[in-house]
Every structure is written in structure tokens, then in C-alpha cells.
């Protein structure tokens, strides 16, 4: 069974940094992409960043500059490094995996930016 597990959500102060992790396990044949989304209370889920099978990285305008995504050498873990966090970054953050033409979502982790 393919599993997507996120970790790293926390309460942080404005201006602080946080690194989220997404670990994938299970068997699959064709990896397409992994990405990060977030959903603030009362808002639609928003795309932040993704890494494709070729290694290409794409960022939304929201994420570009302050957020950085990366992949470990084994390609089973992706990270979202968030810097200079603002209260408006408060949201549930989700990892999205696409393998074998199927979409898998992590459970979501809460990031709260507040004094």
C-alpha cells in the first residue's frame, strides 16, 4: 500500500522558519511528481510547489522566494523549507504524490504562525 506521511507542523513566531517533511512508502512503478499544497481555514486548497520525475521544480507565486522544496537522494522524501513565516501562512499543509497515474494525499499537518 502506498502511504504518504507528513511531519514537521508546529506553532512558530512570525519571521521564523519551519521544515516540513513528506515520506513516501510502498510499492509503485511510475513516479510522476510530489508536491506541496496548503489550505487555510475557509479557503480553497492552494498549490505551493512540486518536484517532477525529471527533477524539475515549480513554485507558485505564493511560495517563490520564501519557500523551497527539495528531495532526498533516495527520492522517498521531499521537504518544504519555509522561511520568514507570516501569520497568513497559517494553514493545513498537504503533501501530494502522483504515482502510477494515481493521486495520493497526506493527512495534512497544521502550521500556525502567531506571536
Amino acid at each position: 500500500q502506498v502511504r504518504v506521511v507528513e511531519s514537521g507542523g508546529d506553532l512558530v513566531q512570525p519571521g521564523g522558519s519551519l521544515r516540513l517533511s513528506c515520506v513516501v512508502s510502498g510499492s509503485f512503478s511510475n513516479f510522476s511528481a510530489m508536491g506541496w499544497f496548503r489550505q487555510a481555514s475557509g479557503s480553497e486548497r492552494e498549490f505551493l510547489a512540486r518536484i517532477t520525475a525529471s527533477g524539475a521544480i515549480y513554485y507558485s507565486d505564493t511560495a517563490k522566494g520564501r519557500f523551497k522544496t527539495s528531495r532526498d537522494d533516495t527520492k522517498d522524501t521531499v521537504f518544504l523549507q519555509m522561511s520568514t513565516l507570516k501569520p497568513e501562512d497559517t494553514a493545513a499543509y498537504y503533501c501530494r504524490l502522483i504515482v502510477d497515474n494515481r493521486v495520493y494525499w497526506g493527512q495534512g499537518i497544521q502550521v500556525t504562525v502567531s506571536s
Side-chain angles (χ1 to χ4, degrees):
Q1 182 179 2
V2 176
R3 297 178 180 179
V4 182
V5 181
E6 300 139 324
S7 63
D10 204 354
L11 171 66
V12 296
Q13 295 183 338
S17 299
L18 196 64
R19 188 181 73 165
L20 308 182
S21 300
C22 177
V23 179
V24 175
S25 62
S27 298
F28 53 85
S29 298
N30 182 32
F31 173 87
S32 293
M34 294 181 67
W36 290 95
F37 295 73
R38 72 182 183 187
Q39 187 168 15
S41 180
S43 300
E44 295 184 347
R45 191 164 296 184
E46 175 188 20
F47 165 76
L48 296 173
R50 70 173 175 268
I51 300 176
T52 69
S54 66
I57 300 176
Y58 301 88
Y59 294 101
S60 68
D61 289 340
T62 297
K64 189 176 182 179
R66 296 190 297 117
F67 295 180
K68 182 180 180 180
T69 189
S70 60
R71 182 175 61 184
D72 72 2
D73 292 337
T74 64
K75 300 182 180 180
D76 61 355
T77 304
V78 294
F79 305 96
L80 184 67
Q81 179 67 49
M82 304 185 293
S83 301
T84 319
L85 286 164
K86 305 174 181 179
E88 49 264 45
D89 294 320
T90 296
Y93 284 72
Y94 297 87
C95 182
R96 184 194 189 198
L97 170 71
I98 304 177
V99 294
D100 298 333
N101 297 314
R102 296 183 179 183
V103 178
Y104 299 86
W105 290 93
Q107 79 282 3
I109 49 176
Q110 182 66 34
V111 173
T112 300
V113 184
S114 176
S115 299

